[in-house]
Amino acid sequence: MRAICPGSFDPATLGHLDIITRAAALFDDVVVAVGRNSAKNYLFDPDERVAILAEATGGLANVTVKPISGLLVDFCADEGVDVIVKGLRFASDFEFELQMSQMNHAMTGIETICLPTSSAVAHISSTMVREIARLGGDVGQFVPEGVHRRIRAKVAG
């Protein structure tokens, strides 16, 4: 069975990797789809985010990383994806993801599986990591080392 883990991943965090790694253990093939959310103020451009995630997931043989534009359900149909995997940190995440999963199912019949993020990383948010980094704080404990290097280079430059 083929699954997809969609998101903007700006930047990729240990929380994202928790969900991706667990999805890779559950499904034969996992596509990490790097998209764009017009409401977000990005630190990295889409190509950088794809490269970052490809590096961060390099040890997972059944994971590929691809950019996505347009509707997720259309991408899933084009890629032969059977199920969408979403991570949940808090109850508020569930409310949003439930509505999204119902819309996706109504449009195409695709199912969504929600995985609760491991408690050790549930507090991490990309938005907070970006803000801490932009203000000169150290975000090394929240992101993989390769991502940390890229963040330091980005905010220094």
Side-chain angles (χ1 to χ4, degrees):
M1 185 172 276
R2 193 162 203 220
I4 189 167
C5 292
S8 54
F9 304 105
D10 186 56
T13 69
L14 296 177
H16 293 131
L17 289 180
D18 171 60
I19 296 299
I20 294 166
T21 301
R22 290 169 51 214
L26 294 171
F27 298 97
D28 300 321
D29 186 32
V30 175
V31 177
V32 176
V34 179
R36 180 160 182 78
N37 179 336
S38 59
K40 291 189 177 181
N41 182 16
Y42 289 100
L43 182 61
F44 296 103
D45 69 38
D47 291 337
E48 289 173 311
R49 288 183 278 131
V50 168
I52 286 167
L53 273 159
E55 178 185 329
T57 61
L60 301 170
N62 63 334
V63 173
T64 56
V65 181
K66 297 184 178 192
I68 180 176
S69 62
L71 289 174
L72 176 61
V73 292
D74 292 341
F75 184 85
C76 290
D78 292 345
E79 292 289 323
V81 169
D82 304 295
V83 64
I84 299 167
V85 176
K86 299 295 293 215
L88 301 178
R89 294 175 298 157
F90 308 109
S92 58
D93 289 347
F94 177 76
E95 292 174 7
F96 175 79
E97 296 302 344
L98 176 63
Q99 183 179 20
M100 186 67 65
S101 71
Q102 291 170 336
M103 289 295 290
N104 289 337
H105 190 268
M107 291 187 334
T108 66
I110 195 163
E111 295 291 353
T112 299
I113 303 293
C114 294
L115 291 177
T117 305
S118 298
S119 61
V121 293
H123 63 284
I124 302 171
S125 109
S126 290
T127 301
M128 289 184 184
V129 168
R130 278 194 312 274
E131 186 66 16
I132 292 166
R134 284 186 174 132
L135 294 172
D138 183 8
V139 295
Q141 65 183 313
F142 309 122
V143 298
E145 178 51 40
V147 176
H148 191 214
R149 259 192 328 275
R150 287 175 184 251
I151 290 171
R152 286 192 316 257
K154 180 68 81 168
V155 298

